[in-house]
Amino acid sequence: LSQNVVQGISTSSITKTDTSGNLIWNKSYYDSIPSISGYSSPNNGYCFSNDQYLISGSKGINGFIIKCDTSGNIIWNKRFIQMKGVFSIVKNSFDSFVTCGLARNGGTYFLKINSEGDSLFGRNFTDDTLYRGLGYEKIVKTIDGNFALGTACGYNESRLGVLDSVGNLIDNFYYIYPDNVKVCQWNINETSDSGFI
């Protein structure tokens, strides 16, 4: 997953290589009618499997998800106006995915979609004090079928929240760091002992 410049516009692309790193193909994604804004994908804005590739991010003022086949050809391209960007996406089941992103009013938005990109469930955490501070940079599916989110950038403390499949907070952890330490959890993964790193 990378950014390419197409028709003078920086845009998202996928590069596929063989096991030796040799280029098989590269596809850049842009609208057929060029506009002033290309696609922009963050580091965690992808979900690859043996039979499909999904990339997500921002297009203008809206979030997007593009589903491709294994040759990089677009199957569908959807915009999500409830979000400024879809920052992370994980496979939930055979026919559904869960995403998190930047809500229109600046907080975290939790969204579940089906395999056709249709919204099944959405939840805006912005104005809910219980969820305040949960980040949108990376969402992880846990071994027991829940989802974990880290925290946004902040000083001296961070947070880890575990959510169920409809975005209810079921576990919550706070971590305090020494004074004057700014903590940004850009990535999170589950470990083999069901912890997180």
Side-chain angles (χ1 to χ4, degrees), residues 43-55:
N43 291 338
N44 299 313
Y46 59 87
C47 182
F48 298 147
S49 68
N50 290 334
D51 59 350
Q52 61 190 351
Y53 304 152
L54 280 83
I55 60 173

Side-chain angles (χ1 to χ4, degrees), residues 87-88 100-103 106-109 134-139 149-152:
F87 281 69
S88 185
C100 63
L102 179 60
T108 298
Y109 198 95
L134 284 178
Y136 48 76
E137 295 291 338
K138 175 83 177 274
I139 189 167
L149 290 173
T151 187

Side-chain angles (χ1 to χ4, degrees), residues 57-104:
S58 301
K59 172 71 168 87
I61 60 171
N62 297 318
F64 80 87
I65 300 174
I66 295 174
K67 181 178 179 179
C68 307
D69 62 22
T70 55
S71 296
N73 301 309
I74 294 175
I75 298 171
W76 51 253
N77 181 346
K78 302 276 181 135
R79 301 287 197 282
F80 298 91
I81 61 171
Q82 62 271 55
M83 289 187 275
K84 292 181 181 179
V86 180
F87 281 69
S88 185
I89 183 168
V90 292
K91 191 168 187 175
N92 177 52
S93 65
F94 173 75
D95 61 353
S96 69
F97 299 86
V98 170
T99 74
C100 63
L102 179 60
R104 180 83 37 217

